[in-house]
Amino acid sequence: MITFVLIITAVLTALIGGLFYAYSCSVVLGLGKLPDAEYLKAMQNINREILNPVFFLSFMGTAVLLPVSAVLFRGQQPVFIFLLVAALVYLIGVFGVTVVGNVPMNDALDRFDISNATIEAVKQMRDQFEGRWNFLNNIRTSFSVVSIILVVL
C-alpha cells in the first residue's frame, strides 16, 4: 500500500508539473501574441475553466500526498528526506506561489470588465498582469520540476 501511495504521489506531482511546464513553454507564448483584449479574455476563460475537479485532484492531491508519503517513509533514509524536501518545495514554491501570487491576480482579472473598459485600461491591465503572472508561473514550474526530481530520487 505504501508503494501505491508513492506511485500516485509521483504521478500527481508529475501531472501538475507538466501543467505548469506546458503553460511556460507553449500556452503563454501563444497567448502573448494576441491583442490586449483577446489576451485578457482568453486568460479569464482559462482561469475559470481550470477550476475543475480534475485540476483540484492533482493540485490539492499533490499537496496532501507529498507530506503523507514522507510520513509513510519516516525512518527510511534517504527516501524520507527526499519526500520531505519534495513536500516543502511543492508546498512553498508551487502551492504557496499559486495561492499567494497567481490566484489573487486571476481573481482581479476575473473582476475586470473588458467589454466596458477603455483601450488604455485594457492595456494597463495586461501590463500589470501578464509579466508578473508569467514570472510566477515560471517559479511554479521550476519548483514543480524540483519536486518531481526529489520524488523520483
Side-chain angles (χ1 to χ4, degrees):
M1 187 57 141
I2 293 173
T3 302
F4 179 72
V5 171
L6 184 57
I7 290 169
I8 297 301
T9 302
V11 168
L12 290 179
T13 306
L15 286 172
I16 204 68
L19 172 77
F20 295 135
Y21 174 77
Y23 267 85
S24 291
C25 70
S26 65
V27 174
V28 296
L29 299 175
L31 292 176
K33 296 186 181 333
L34 294 174
D36 294 340
E38 289 180 37
Y39 169 84
L40 295 176
K41 287 177 191 174
M43 284 301 292
Q44 282 179 333
N45 286 317
I46 289 169
N47 291 335
R48 290 173 186 148
E49 292 303 317
I50 200 162
L51 302 177
N52 66 68
V54 175
F55 171 74
F56 283 122
L57 177 65
S58 56
F59 184 68
M60 301 298 281
T62 303
V64 170
L65 286 178
L66 278 170
V68 166
S69 292
V71 168
L72 290 173
F73 283 91
R74 71 185 176 278
Q76 297 183 41
Q77 308 299 356
V79 176
F80 169 74
I81 299 298
F82 287 138
L83 290 171
L84 180 63
V85 175
L88 292 172
V89 166
Y90 182 85
L91 290 172
I92 294 166
V94 180
F95 192 85
V97 168
T98 300
V99 170
V100 173
N102 295 86
V103 169
M105 293 180 70
N106 294 347
D107 291 344
L109 179 59
D110 193 55
R111 291 187 300 272
F112 185 69
D113 183 3
I114 299 166
S115 59
N116 290 319
T118 64
I119 293 171
E120 294 81 24
V122 168
K123 179 172 179 14
Q124 182 179 20
M125 174 55 92
R126 182 178 186 165
D127 290 345
Q128 291 172 355
F129 183 88
E130 185 176 23
R132 184 165 185 261
W133 194 96
N134 290 345
F135 174 73
L136 293 173
N137 189 67
N138 288 335
I139 290 172
R140 298 186 302 187
T141 302
S142 300
F143 277 79
S144 290
V145 170
V146 171
S147 291
I148 294 164
I149 292 167
L150 290 166
V151 170
V152 170
L153 290 173

